[in-house]
Amino acid sequence: MQNETEIESMPIEIEFDRFDLKFYNQEAEVIPELKQNYPYLFPKQFSDSVWIARQKDSLQLILQEAVSEVFDDTTPLEREISHLFKHIKYHFSKVEVPHVVTLTNNVDYQIKIVYSDSLLLISLDTFLGADHPLYEGIPNYIRKELDQKFILSQIAEKFAAFVIPPAEDRTFLAQMLYEGKKMYLHDLLLPHQSDAIKIAYTQAELNWVEENELYVWQYFIERQVLYKTEFEWVQRFLEPAPFSKFYLQLDNESPGRIGRWIGWQIVRSYMEQNPETPLEELLKMPAQRLFNLSKYKPKR
């Protein structure tokens, strides 16, 4: 069990470095200093004129105005991210607490967050709220995640991808358990978040997967999906999508990435059966061994 008192007492306090505020609504004279302080945000192939034009671009200024309104006071969010990194540091003592930089990035929802071992970039314009008018035209299954309540789980996701060895083979089972390991790390790092937030489902979607876990598993077994290596299966059940593609009547009711949910339940089942397994060992464990020892059975 985690020692929450011990975790909470860890001296980690994260403050945002608001690059977005230093760049927009500023004079062109700030560019050379910003390039010196944030070289990773200024690709060398672009001249200063590109950045000066961007500073004054009307769409960029509308985006930044929206960011400044929604993220007027970032103190609560900084506190929550500090809490997350206390949990990360508890389980991964060698991990460096990163420098956190916020920016505005053209609502590029494919890279909302970037994590490396010493740097965390958060594009605040991708977390304005699912119903924000600036997101008009973006598909609903993507929009629902463009909300600041998902920032912590997005950071946990990027961190998990950074520390968990990639799947050792191309089988659907290995890919599914790689996703399951990432989700299990969410359990440890975000113990106070709901499962719906961790996996970015609505409550209705979460209810659906819980009620239909048995039927989904039967589908995988009957069609002998676990050891298939065609990318089609990853696309249908592990990639972001409006729904999972069973090609049955239930498709429209199912949430996307349902294989991720099943992988998560298998890893949870393994840890219930083998609670003494060190975290590092779990994260490196071959998929077939983990699956065999999980004794996974759908709950209903």
Side-chain angles (χ1 to χ4, degrees), residues 19 23 31 34-35 38-46 51:
F19 173 82
F23 182 82
I31 298 290
L34 290 178
K35 284 174 72 176
Y38 304 90
Y40 45 85
L41 295 178
F42 294 91
K44 286 191 166 55
Q45 67 265 35
F46 298 116
W51 307 117

Side-chain angles (χ1 to χ4, degrees), residues 89-198:
K89 193 77 174 166
Y90 178 81
H91 291 286
F92 301 88
S93 58
K94 293 179 181 171
V95 165
E96 189 178 336
V97 177
H99 180 59
V100 182
V101 179
T102 64
L103 40 125
T104 302
N105 190 32
N106 286 320
V107 192
D108 187 348
Y109 51 77
Q110 293 190 308
I111 44 172
K112 301 192 280 284
I113 284 173
V114 175
Y115 172 83
S116 72
D117 50 5
S118 61
L119 188 64
L120 179 65
L121 305 179
I122 303 176
S123 297
L124 294 179
D125 58 323
T126 59
F127 295 103
L128 299 176
D131 298 325
H132 200 283
L134 287 173
Y135 297 157
E136 210 169 298
I138 296 175
N140 285 338
Y141 78 96
I142 293 170
R143 278 177 73 153
K144 72 177 183 186
E145 295 185 37
L146 304 183
D147 192 293
Q148 62 177 303
K149 68 185 177 186
F150 293 117
I151 290 179
L152 294 183
S153 58
Q154 286 283 325
I155 296 171
E157 167 71 15
K158 294 295 183 184
F159 176 78
F162 191 77
V163 296
I164 298 174
E168 70 276 8
D169 62 54
R170 289 170 47 234
T171 63
F172 181 67
L173 177 67
Q175 302 293 331
M176 189 164 63
L177 290 185
Y178 171 70
E179 295 296 329
K181 288 176 183 178
K182 288 199 290 183
M183 290 309 306
Y184 181 74
L185 213 48
H186 284 60
D187 288 337
L188 298 181
L189 303 180
L190 299 169
H192 307 302
Q193 296 272 21
S194 69
D195 283 0
I197 293 290
K198 289 174 196 168

Side-chain angles (χ1 to χ4, degrees), residues 208-262:
W208 193 95
V209 294
E210 288 177 342
E211 287 163 13
N212 291 277
E213 186 180 342
L214 174 62
Y215 303 111
V216 173
W217 184 244
Q218 283 175 340
Y219 179 93
F220 288 166
I221 298 303
E222 286 166 8
R223 284 159 181 77
Q224 301 179 334
V225 172
L226 298 188
Y227 301 103
K228 292 189 184 294
T229 55
E230 296 87 352
F231 186 62
E232 170 204 355
W233 298 98
V234 170
Q235 286 180 309
R236 285 170 62 181
F237 297 110
L238 291 172
E239 298 257 296
F243 49 81
S244 294
K245 297 177 183 70
F246 298 94
Y247 303 132
L248 297 170
Q249 190 67 40
L250 55 75
D251 276 15
N252 294 334
E253 301 168 35
S254 71
R257 310 185 78 180
I258 210 160
R260 194 169 208 241
W261 164 264
I262 297 290

Side-chain angles (χ1 to χ4, degrees), residues 74-88:
T74 57
T75 310
L77 188 53
E78 289 167 341
R79 203 175 297 127
E80 288 177 358
I81 295 176
S82 300
H83 188 68
L84 168 59
F85 272 95
K86 288 177 183 185
H87 283 79
I88 289 175

